[in-house]
């Protein structure tokens, strides 16, 4: 009886590890595909594709492509200050943190809407960019839509 239990527990552990590896490989493939899609979006907009690989700078470029690059510092101040205030943990700062994070979320959503508009898409596509950004960035990068300056 103990041998059967040991066999089943080893098999279950191996199965869990296989599922974890499959999830890790899937997430890495999705990340790579999203990076390639964002590179294509940048080249469609007339920006060098390598700029999509630099995290903070690519957000700046995203705002420049879709809306106005001058909004990016406001976005970063709202999100970083809101995150900091939330981590402090004081009750009276939580409301201020939530308001700042909400403003950052609104700015990001408007950026995605304006990005969809800049490529000739509507509100549905913008909602897709907000909710499922990696998938819709790939679609935006590889479809036939052309970039029109906002």
């Amino acid at each position: 009886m103990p041998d059967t239990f040991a066999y089943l527990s080893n098999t279950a552990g191996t199965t869990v590890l296989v599922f974890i590896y499959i999830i890790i490989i899937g997430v890495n493939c999705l990340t790579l595909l999203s990076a390639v899609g964002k590179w294509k979006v940048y080249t469609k907009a007339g920006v060098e594709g390598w700029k999509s690989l630099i995290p903070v700078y690519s957000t700046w470029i995203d705002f420049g492509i879709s809306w106005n690059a001058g909004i990016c510092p406001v976005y970063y101040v709202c999100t970083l200050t809101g995150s900091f205030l939330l981590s402090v943990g004081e009750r009276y700062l939580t409301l201020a943190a939530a308001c700042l994070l909400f403003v950052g979320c609104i700015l990001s959503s408007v950026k995605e809407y304006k990005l969809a508009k800049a490529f000739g898409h509507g509100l549905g596509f913008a909602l897709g960019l907000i909710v499922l950004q990696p998938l819709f960035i790939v679609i935006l990068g590889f479809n036939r839509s052309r970039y029109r300056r906002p």
Side-chain angles (χ1 to χ4, degrees), residues 135-148:
L135 176 66
F136 277 80
I137 282 292
V138 170
I139 292 170
L140 190 61
F142 288 100
N143 70 3
R144 294 182 184 197
S145 61
R146 292 184 179 206
Y147 177 70
R148 295 175 241 161

Side-chain angles (χ1 to χ4, degrees), residues 10-54:
N10 286 340
T11 305
T14 303
T15 305
V16 168
L17 281 177
V18 167
F19 281 128
I20 289 172
Y21 288 145
I22 289 172
I23 289 170
I24 289 172
I25 289 170
V27 166
N28 285 336
C29 288
L30 183 62
T31 302
L32 181 64
L33 192 60
S34 177
V36 170
K38 197 167 185 180
W39 186 299
K40 293 282 288 180
V41 167
Y42 275 40
T43 56
K44 278 184 176 183
V47 179
E48 292 88 3
W50 62 267
K51 292 181 179 181
S52 67
L53 302 176
I54 303 170

Side-chain angles (χ1 to χ4, degrees), residues 77-94:
V77 165
C78 288
T79 55
L80 294 175
T81 307
S83 298
F84 174 73
L85 291 177
L86 199 60
S87 70
V88 170
E90 296 294 328
R91 188 180 311 174
Y92 60 90
L93 292 177
T94 305

Side-chain angles (χ1 to χ4, degrees), residues 64-143:
I65 288 172
S66 62
W67 192 2
N68 181 2
I71 305 290
C72 191
V74 175
Y75 167 75
Y76 274 126
V77 165
C78 288
T79 55
L80 294 175
T81 307
S83 298
F84 174 73
L85 291 177
L86 199 60
S87 70
V88 170
E90 296 294 328
R91 188 180 311 174
Y92 60 90
L93 292 177
T94 305
L95 181 62
C99 289
L100 285 170
L101 291 173
F102 182 72
V103 169
C105 183
I106 294 297
L107 289 175
S108 178
S109 298
V110 170
K111 174 190 67 128
E112 299 301 340
Y113 174 73
K114 290 191 177 268
L115 180 67
K117 282 295 199 187
F119 280 93
H121 296 284
L123 181 62
F125 198 86
L127 290 174
L129 278 171
I130 293 168
V131 176
L132 296 170
Q133 188 183 30
L135 176 66
F136 277 80
I137 282 292
V138 170
I139 292 170
L140 190 61
F142 288 100
N143 70 3

